[in-house]
Amino acid sequence: PSHDNSIVVLLALRQRNMDLLERKAQAVSDPSSPEYGRYLERDELYGISGSSAYNVDLVEKFFSELPGTFQFSFGKDFARYTCTIACVEKVFNTTLRIQKGRVAPGTTPIRASEPVRLPVNIQNALEGTSLNAPLFMPPHPRQSKVMPFRYKRSGRTAPRVRPMMVAGDQFISIHFVAYCKDKVVNQDTVQNGICRNSPHSRLITAFDVLVLQTATNWQKLVRVPAVPDTLGEKVAKTEDNQTCTEFNATLGNIQNYASTTVRIRSLFSDGSV
């Protein structure tokens, strides 16, 4: 092949905690697990299984100092290195040959005639290397811009449920925020006590969740204690860009074949709702 032509090399960085990720995947599908239905978000997945910062920095420093171009994927689990054939042969200590016969669309007929060889520390930071990476990448389809859901900051005492629910065959997972006695959104964690810092000092001790399926005239009432074992949480935003605490809970034994509505009420420490 002409040594002036460019080739794309795909680098797969070494992943971490794959056994933990497998256990997490099993737990979210196990009705007897407290993590049932609590699917991980993309950032959480990268946090568990993504390559270590040390390996990312090592690979980036090595390839960025070479001729050609280097680019990470969004999660930094893959990288793409583009350089001339002569450059790739030198960097990877191999010889490239043109494969005879048909090749898959979008791939290159150029193959390494012998195993690639990189410095040991770089080799240890990678799961694998592909000299058969696509010469072009199809553009991502245009995504409609979805604005993150924002909660009202005040004006109510009943919890506010995020409209979108996650549903499985036998469960639903809901996200919501609580409002304190002063009708201001809660900013406290479950561990510290929901509404502990509210001027009225009335903690929320539990939530009553009513699941309704009007098409079948079916309903289910679940009391969810305000404890870490039953509630997940993360930081959310209000309409005026203030922070609040968003809770999530998973409710099992629910047939998801009909339109489902959820209503929630808070139970306060003084006995009021």
Side-chain angles (χ1 to χ4, degrees), residues 16-227:
R16 301 173 299 147
N17 304 318
M18 298 309 292
D19 54 341
L20 173 59
L21 191 62
E22 183 177 357
R23 292 198 298 271
K24 288 279 188 183
Q26 292 173 344
V28 298
S29 304
D30 181 1
S32 65
S33 169
E35 297 183 57
Y36 181 55
R38 295 186 181 180
Y39 294 100
L40 298 175
E41 297 187 358
R42 182 170 62 178
D43 290 344
E44 293 174 310
L45 286 171
Y46 288 144
I48 292 174
S49 63
S51 187
S52 68
Y54 175 80
N55 283 346
V56 169
D57 291 343
L58 191 69
V59 171
E60 182 175 29
K61 184 176 187 301
F62 177 78
F63 283 97
S64 296
E65 293 176 352
L66 296 171
T69 61
F70 176 79
Q71 183 181 13
F72 275 118
S73 65
F74 179 84
K76 295 190 174 181
D77 46 354
F78 288 94
R80 195 166 63 169
Y81 176 64
T82 306
C83 202
T84 64
I85 289 175
C87 162
V88 169
E89 286 183 326
K90 183 177 180 181
V91 171
F92 292 89
N93 292 289
T94 189
T95 302
L96 302 181
R97 297 284 186 265
I98 294 181
Q99 174 181 312
K100 297 180 179 179
R102 299 179 61 183
V103 296
T107 63
T108 171
I110 300 172
R111 300 289 187 271
S113 61
E114 53 196 34
V116 300
R117 296 186 303 276
L118 289 166
V120 174
N121 60 340
I122 302 300
Q123 197 70 49
N124 290 338
L126 298 174
E127 291 279 5
T129 303
S130 174
L131 299 178
N132 189 27
L135 289 173
F136 64 89
M137 297 296 288
H140 290 288
R142 184 178 297 275
Q143 301 289 329
S144 58
K145 187 174 182 180
V146 179
M147 299 299 295
F149 183 73
R150 299 293 181 101
Y151 295 95
K152 290 189 177 296
R153 188 168 186 269
S154 60
R156 58 188 293 155
T157 54
R160 176 73 167 91
V161 183
R162 197 202 308 174
M164 182 182 298
M165 290 185 289
V166 176
D169 291 340
Q170 297 288 329
F171 73 88
I172 59 171
S173 181
I174 58 173
H175 294 75
F176 63 96
V177 297
Y179 292 83
C180 304
K181 281 286 190 177
D182 59 354
K183 297 186 176 182
V184 174
V185 70
N186 167 69
Q187 295 178 307
D188 295 308
T189 64
V190 177
Q191 192 72 41
N192 292 337
I194 303 175
C195 290
R196 178 171 294 279
N197 291 313
S198 169
H200 292 77
S201 298
R202 296 290 185 270
L203 298 180
I204 294 177
T205 58
F207 298 97
D208 277 347
V209 183
L210 180 63
V211 183
L212 301 169
Q213 292 179 338
T214 53
T216 58
N217 199 29
W218 181 91
Q219 65 181 31
K220 179 177 182 177
L221 180 65
V222 181
R223 177 157 295 181
V224 181
V227 295

